[in-house]
Amino acid sequence: MNEMYDMSIVTHNWGVIAVLGVILINILMLLGIKSNVRYRRAISLFTPIVGTAIGMVIFTGIVMMASKHLNFTIENIVMILFATALTYLEVKRSKSLRSVKDEESFANHKKYALKIFLIEIFVVLSISSWMWM
């Protein structure tokens, strides 16, 4: 059981780093792509990777909780809330892209999405710094 717990901690940490990586790649795509059509195409191909990274962190967290016999600590509850917030922010950002029709609304979406990405980075770094200390 200890081996499973130790492995899930390492995998969980790499998953958190992967989430930060996909957020940064999203920011680079957002700032680098100037066309609405090209951005939609890139983001439609990249969104499953984002979901997989977030899912990896949630799954390894579930494995760790199961190995601790579902012991709900404050840290576990906060991580569940942060995972829910991160998922909510991703859905909110994705839905806002649906209303983008022209280049002016795409420019507004870029500002909005950048704010959401910065909030996501803050969320991930704040829970990570609390757990890694």
Side-chain angles (χ1 to χ4, degrees), residues 5 12 61 64-65 68 71-83 126-133:
Y5 184 74
H12 193 70
M64 286 190 293
M65 282 187 58
K68 292 195 302 187
N71 188 8
F72 280 96
T73 62
I74 295 295
E75 293 87 1
N76 292 346
I77 293 169
V78 170
M79 281 191 242
I80 291 168
L81 292 174
F82 276 48
S126 63
I127 191 68
S128 297
S129 64
W130 182 35
M131 291 298 125
W132 288 336
M133 285 186 192

Side-chain angles (χ1 to χ4, degrees), residues 1-12 54-72 76 79-80:
M1 193 62 87
N2 285 336
E3 292 83 14
M4 187 168 95
Y5 184 74
D6 292 340
M7 181 194 66
S8 63
I9 286 176
V10 170
T11 309
H12 193 70
I54 293 172
M56 183 172 105
V57 172
I58 293 171
F59 178 75
T60 55
I62 291 169
V63 169
M64 286 190 293
M65 282 187 58
S67 68
K68 292 195 302 187
H69 306 289
L70 299 176
N71 188 8
F72 280 96
N76 292 346
M79 281 191 242
I80 291 168

Side-chain angles (χ1 to χ4, degrees), residues 9-112:
I9 286 176
V10 170
T11 309
H12 193 70
N13 287 337
W14 279 107
V16 171
I17 292 169
V19 168
L20 282 173
V22 296
I23 292 171
L24 291 175
I25 291 171
N26 267 322
I27 290 173
L28 292 175
M29 283 193 317
L30 182 69
L31 298 176
I33 299 175
K34 304 297 182 204
S35 168
N36 178 20
V37 175
R38 289 187 63 214
Y39 180 73
R40 280 178 181 262
R41 174 76 176 151
I43 207 71
S44 70
L45 294 173
F46 197 69
T47 298
I49 296 170
V50 175
T52 302
I54 293 172
M56 183 172 105
V57 172
I58 293 171
F59 178 75
T60 55
I62 291 169
V63 169
M64 286 190 293
M65 282 187 58
S67 68
K68 292 195 302 187
H69 306 289
L70 299 176
N71 188 8
F72 280 96
T73 62
I74 295 295
E75 293 87 1
N76 292 346
I77 293 169
V78 170
M79 281 191 242
I80 291 168
L81 292 174
F82 276 48
T84 304
L86 196 62
T87 305
Y88 172 75
L89 288 169
E90 276 297 312
V91 168
K92 195 172 176 181
R93 182 192 56 80
S94 296
K95 281 189 175 183
S96 72
L97 187 59
R98 292 181 188 169
S99 64
V100 173
K101 302 295 181 202
D102 58 355
E103 293 305 316
E104 183 179 326
S105 61
F106 180 58
N108 291 335
H109 171 75
K110 285 176 99 169
K111 292 176 187 173
Y112 178 72

